[in-house]
Amino acid sequence: MLPIFFGILTSVCFAIASLLAQRGYHLAAAPWGAWITIAGNTVFLLSAHFLLDPFAPILVNDNLVFVAVGLLVPGVTRVLSFRGIRTMGSSITSTIINTTPMFSTVLAILLLGERPGPWVIAGVFVTVCGLVTVSWTGATSSYRKIELVFPFLCALIFACKDVTVRWGLGDGGGQPILAAGIAALTSTVEIFLITRYLHAQKFCWPTANAARWFVWSGIFTGGSFLCMYVALSMERVTIIAPLINSYAVFVLILTPFMARQIESVTRRKVAGAAMVVAGIFMVSLGKY
């Protein structure tokens, strides 16, 4: 039950982090808000590592895999998701990206040799359907079909991240906090370079009122990364992937308390959330 707990806690922390960042963006335009969140994530994880395991080796070849993970997520995925949002809108883009657990399951079977039972397969399917229901609001813009490749590629990279982290950490033999910290530090440097030179944004700290939301978002993002790496170090991808990628349902649950004036809760979203909960329950049953 412990890896399942950490998997669900990953989604809860990331949902809180998303809503906190949304509060910051709602207060003021902040092109560097995402970087502040990721930097806060890095500080949180590296502080936790040096506090809990200060003598663990850092400059070893085994840690290079987590540098690669940090380059892909959120660096490359952020560029791909923004491309999808710009051309197709956030509804279609987020709906496609929410198919990540399906890709994670397929890759875990092909690359890691995992053999999930029927309850797990059914649970992944129901979870993906629920996430699609939560995020779908209907197509509101025309776009070229080739643009679909960007969010699908984003979902595939997210799935590769799940499989790579599981492979890199092994069966509990790795150092999940250090691994998460290395990936976060890599992402912090990459997002800085992307924002400063690719998007040509001169560094500008947001107003104090907005900045505090991004800082707290970074702390909860750090918590989500920590829990995700711990969960993947303990259990199979086919079990953990639907849990760590179900944060949309927790965003829905927490919205009335944290962002009522920004987001609305509809019956369709509630139905989708119920499907996600059912899917997670099925995956949990399939573990035993």
Side-chain angles (χ1 to χ4, degrees):
M1 287 300 293
L2 194 58
I4 291 176
F5 169 77
F6 278 114
I8 294 174
L9 193 57
T10 296
S11 286
V12 173
C13 286
F14 194 75
I16 295 173
S18 299
L19 290 171
L20 290 172
Q22 193 171 16
R23 290 289 297 269
Y25 283 119
H26 185 68
L27 289 173
W32 286 90
W35 181 82
I36 293 171
T37 295
I38 296 170
N41 168 29
T42 302
V43 172
F44 175 89
L45 289 170
L46 292 181
S47 298
H49 164 68
F50 288 114
L51 181 65
L52 299 174
D53 193 9
F55 302 108
I58 297 177
L59 301 177
V60 294
N61 291 335
D62 290 346
N63 288 333
L64 290 177
V65 65
F66 305 114
V67 174
V69 170
L71 289 173
L72 292 174
V73 182
V76 174
T77 54
R78 185 169 181 261
V79 174
L80 292 172
S81 62
F82 274 39
R83 171 64 183 263
I85 291 171
R86 187 172 67 249
T87 58
M88 297 181 294
S90 60
S91 173
I92 296 175
T93 300
S94 61
T95 298
I96 294 173
I97 292 175
N98 278 334
T99 61
T100 294
M102 178 183 66
F103 288 107
S104 297
T105 300
V106 172
L107 289 177
I109 293 172
L110 294 177
L111 300 180
L112 300 180
E114 296 187 8
R115 294 295 180 264
W119 274 105
V120 174
I121 296 294
V124 170
F125 177 77
V126 172
T127 299
V128 170
C129 290
L131 291 172
V132 169
T133 302
V134 168
S135 58
W136 177 253
T137 58
T140 57
S141 60
S142 59
Y143 55 90
R144 295 183 302 162
K145 299 303 180 184
I146 190 64
E147 297 291 340
L148 289 169
V149 72
F150 296 105
F152 271 116
L153 187 57
C154 188
L156 181 60
I157 292 175
F158 276 127
C160 288
K161 176 262 299 176
D162 294 341
V163 173
T164 303
V165 170
R166 172 63 179 171
W167 173 76
L169 291 174
D171 293 316
Q175 299 161 329
I177 302 177
L178 175 60
I182 291 172
L185 178 60
T186 305
S187 295
T188 300
V189 175
E190 183 182 20
I191 294 299
F192 178 89
L193 295 176
I194 289 174
T195 306
R196 180 66 185 89
Y197 297 104
L198 184 62
H199 297 160
Q201 292 285 348
K202 186 177 180 180
F203 183 79
C204 179
W205 191 264
T207 63
N209 195 26
R212 64 189 178 96
W213 294 107
F214 294 118
V215 171
W216 277 107
S217 175
I219 293 172
F220 276 96
T221 300
S224 69
F225 269 58
L226 190 154
C227 293
M228 176 179 66
Y229 276 64
V230 169
L232 287 170
S233 72
M234 300 171 67
E235 186 53 84
R236 293 164 289 168
V237 172
T238 49
I239 298 294
I240 299 301
L243 308 181
I244 64 177
N245 290 291
S246 62
Y247 61 88
V249 70
F250 294 103
V251 169
L252 181 65
I253 293 171
L254 293 171
T255 290
F257 305 99
M258 298 181 62
R260 182 180 300 176
Q261 71 276 27
I262 303 175
E263 291 280 350
S264 60
V265 177
T266 64
R267 292 181 179 178
R268 175 185 51 76
K269 290 181 178 180
V270 172
M275 293 174 66
V276 172
V277 172
I280 290 174
F281 180 72
M282 293 167 69
V283 168
S284 301
L285 284 179
K287 181 181 182 301
Y288 302 103

